[in-house]
């Protein structure tokens, strides 16, 4: 009788409790050798807690782990790496002021007597990169690498030792299509070597390319583990949220009102003579490739970049060159694309972040007794659980952090809301909730600007769509004119000066 092969990694009854919260509740998980096993679920479902336990970054409250059929105890990241388990998290652990080879050898530097052997470090780096088919020079500073190149260095660090399990947390969130193809090719080569990969992603369309099995987590519980071949989008979404999601993108009613903001021939670094109006009761989309100017124009309007010429008016008021605070006092709220570095105070609670959105404005602060009532009402408006209000923002999932960022915009009375990449790194359930927030704003008469690299998002939510290319507006589309073919056709348009 042939015995069944022993799974590469088995987690049994894994549980993690925090004060007042059960982040993971008796979850069983298996990973086979040479398998890509996807973890799927909403932000806060328990995915990050599970991989943190397996990678040694978090100690479980209870539960056991076996590796190759042998029980193991993982008390630290160092323990995990010794066992051959390495994780590449969304937040990289690279030292930006050091070179690629210095980062790669950190903690295991080759020596010649009492001195570090930099030549040997470069040689080992080159050999490893040749094996992985990475075209990155060992002497380049990490700070000068692209996001995709930095991720490759992180993966190379994981592969420096005898790795058996690779954990990837949202690895394609900031990658170009070419970098994603390169990553998937690497995962394919790792599969052939028998390395198991645990892969977290919200991008369902990726699963058909790389996944063998998919485990769906919800509210800290494992809801199902299914073969990737049987995983339709509808089935995964239903498992993820416990009900049929229905339409992700709401139909937003449109009003016809005079402009709330007018831009005339605005010029700045990366912005080349741009003119447009923004109207209340309308969602105006801004689309374009990275570097097209779609975000830079709004960062210029908001006083984050310097304008060289042109005019910006809010209503009848000239606000050209105004500071960010002056723009906010004029009724414009800007939601930045990077919530962690520009949008939130991570060490403060969710409630304190929302209160920050209430202060320093023209309106007087409410009495202390009413502040928390207002904060609770704002949290409900963005579907943020009241239990999260006292928690540090750094301890919230990415989706809940984004809800807090949205909530900051409701602490004062704004007329224009500018959302720059509002759903980056956010699961589909939270996206649907945030889209309904955008719908409510537009239908209440607010002017909404949506800057997004997500083509489906921008196509489905915009009443009017401005396509940017080379710092200029290459197309101004409305209603039925907004289509994927039309938008993509204007992404690469180049403008010629008249002879």
């Amino acid at each position: 009788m042939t015995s069944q092969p022993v799974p590469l990694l088995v987690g049994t009854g894994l549980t993690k409790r925090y004060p007042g919260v059960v982040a993971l509740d008796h979850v069983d998980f298996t990973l086979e050798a040479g398998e890509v096993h996807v973890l799927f679920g909403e932000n806060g479902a328990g995915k990050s807690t599970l991989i943190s336990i397996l990678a040694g970054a978090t100690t479980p409250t209870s539960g056991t782990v076996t590796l190759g059929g042998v029980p193991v105890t993982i008390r630290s990241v160092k323990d995990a790496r010794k066992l051959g388990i390495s994780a590449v998290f969304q937040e990289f652990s690279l030292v930006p002021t050091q070179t690629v080879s210095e980062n790669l050898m950190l903690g295991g530097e080759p020596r010649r007597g009492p001195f570090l052997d930099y030549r040997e470090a470069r040689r080992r780096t080159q050999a490893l990169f040749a094996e992985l088919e990475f075209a990155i020079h060992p002497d380049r500073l990490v700070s000068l690498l692209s996001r995709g190149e930095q991720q490759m260095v992180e993966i190379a660090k994981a592969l420096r030792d005898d790795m058996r399990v690779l954990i990837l947390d949202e690895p394609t969130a900031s990658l170009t299509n070419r970098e994603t193809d390169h990553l998937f090719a690497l995962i394919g080569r790792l599969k052939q070597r028998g390395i198991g990969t645990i892969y977290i992603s919200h991008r369902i369309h990726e699963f058909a390319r790389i996944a063998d099995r998919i485990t769906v987590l919800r509210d800290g519980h494992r809801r199902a583990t299914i073969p990737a071949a049987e995983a339709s989008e509808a089935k995964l979404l239903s498992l993820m949220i416990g009900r049929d999601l229905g339409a992700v993108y709401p139909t937003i009613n449109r009003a016809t009102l005079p402009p709330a903001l007018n831009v005339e021939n605005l010029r700045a670094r990366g912005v080349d003579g741009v003119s447009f109006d923004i109207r209340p009761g309308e969602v105006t989309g801004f689309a374009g490739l990275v570097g097209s100017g779609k975000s830079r124009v709004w960062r210029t309007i908001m006083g984050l970049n310097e304008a060289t010429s042109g005019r910006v008016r809010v209503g009848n008021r000239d606000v050209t060159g105004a500071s960010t605070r002056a723009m906010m006092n004029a009724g414009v709220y800007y939601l930045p694309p990077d919530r962690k570095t520009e949008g939130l105070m991570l060490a403060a609670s969710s409630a304190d972040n929302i209160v920050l959105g209430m202060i320093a404005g023209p309106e007087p602060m409410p009495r202390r007794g009413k502040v928390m009532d207002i904060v609770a009402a704002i949290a409900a408006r963005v579907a943020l659980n009241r239990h999260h209000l006292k928690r540090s923002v750094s301890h919230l999932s990415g989706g809940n952090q984004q809800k807090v960022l949205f909530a900051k915009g409701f602490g004062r009375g704004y007329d224009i809301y500018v959302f720059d990449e509002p759903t980056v790194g956010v699961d589909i359930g939270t996206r649907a909730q945030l889209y309904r927030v955008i719908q409510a704003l537009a239908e209440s008469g607010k002017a909404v600007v949506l800057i997004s690299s997500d083509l489906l998002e921008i196509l489905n939510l915009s009443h009017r769509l401005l396509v940017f290319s080379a710092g200029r507006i290459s197309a101004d589309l409305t209603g039925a004119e907004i289509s994927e073919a039309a938008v993509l056709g204007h992404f690469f348009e180049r403008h010629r000066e008249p002879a």
Side-chain angles (χ1 to χ4, degrees), residues 76-99:
S76 66
V77 173
K78 185 176 181 180
D79 285 348
R81 290 185 67 90
K82 285 182 177 179
L83 293 168
I85 304 171
S86 293
V88 178
F89 294 103
Q90 291 187 61
E91 304 300 324
F92 295 159
S93 60
L94 302 175
V95 181
T97 55
Q98 291 189 330
T99 66

Side-chain angles (χ1 to χ4, degrees), residues 330-359:
V332 185
Y333 177 71
Y334 175 71
L335 184 143
D338 190 335
R339 57 182 173 262
K340 292 189 176 181
T341 60
E342 293 186 314
L344 297 171
M345 292 184 62
L346 298 179
S349 69
S350 301
D352 287 343
N353 271 273
I354 296 172
V355 170
L356 282 173
M358 301 166 62
I359 64 177

Side-chain angles (χ1 to χ4, degrees), residues 356-371:
L356 282 173
M358 301 166 62
I359 64 177
E363 303 94 345
M365 278 290 290
R367 296 192 307 272
R368 180 176 296 180
K370 285 192 173 182
V371 168

Side-chain angles (χ1 to χ4, degrees), residues 139-360:
D139 293 334
R140 288 184 66 189
L141 283 178
V142 163
S143 61
L144 301 179
L145 301 180
S146 70
R147 173 79 178 179
E149 289 172 327
Q150 289 183 26
Q151 187 172 70
M152 295 305 177
V153 176
E154 282 279 15
I155 293 173
K157 280 178 60 180
L159 290 167
R160 185 189 68 184
D161 302 316
D162 185 17
M163 189 178 68
R164 303 171 71 183
V165 176
L166 175 64
I167 302 172
L168 297 174
D169 186 8
E170 294 286 355
T172 61
S174 302
L175 300 189
T176 65
N177 289 337
R178 183 176 181 180
E179 289 170 335
T180 297
D181 290 340
H182 194 173
L183 175 64
F184 287 175
L186 171 62
I187 291 173
R189 294 196 297 273
L190 296 180
K191 287 185 65 171
Q192 294 176 356
R193 291 168 52 178
I195 294 173
T197 301
I198 302 172
Y199 187 98
I200 292 182
S201 179
H202 294 127
R203 301 185 174 193
I204 297 177
H205 64 274
E206 295 178 348
F207 300 169
R209 294 181 60 183
I210 60 166
D212 296 298
R213 286 190 297 162
I214 301 170
T215 287
V216 182
L217 297 178
R218 186 171 81 243
D219 299 329
H221 296 84
R222 183 177 69 88
R223 296 301 175 182
T225 297
I226 57 178
E230 300 175 7
S232 67
E233 179 174 326
K235 184 174 184 177
L236 288 175
L237 294 179
S238 178
L239 287 168
M240 181 181 76
I241 64 175
R243 64 187 187 278
D244 291 333
L245 187 60
V248 175
Y249 303 101
T251 300
I252 305 175
N253 295 321
R254 181 185 189 186
T256 304
L257 297 168
L261 181 144
N262 173 263
V263 177
E264 296 178 11
N265 200 30
L266 186 66
R267 294 180 184 274
R269 184 178 179 184
V271 181
D272 189 10
V274 170
S275 301
F276 58 85
D277 293 329
I278 299 299
R279 297 175 179 270
E282 181 176 85
V283 178
T284 306
F286 282 65
L289 299 173
V290 174
S292 64
K294 66 181 187 298
S295 287
R296 197 177 293 265
V297 65
W298 279 102
R299 296 182 73 85
T300 302
I301 292 168
M302 293 302 300
L304 297 169
N305 294 341
E306 184 178 357
T308 55
S309 64
R311 175 179 289 184
V312 180
R313 300 182 70 86
V314 175
N316 295 320
R317 180 181 174 188
D318 191 329
V319 293
T320 307
S323 67
T324 303
R325 175 169 291 185
M327 291 300 298
M328 294 175 69
N329 289 339
V332 185
Y333 177 71
Y334 175 71
L335 184 143
D338 190 335
R339 57 182 173 262
K340 292 189 176 181
T341 60
E342 293 186 314
L344 297 171
M345 292 184 62
L346 298 179
S349 69
S350 301
D352 287 343
N353 271 273
I354 296 172
V355 170
L356 282 173
M358 301 166 62
I359 64 177

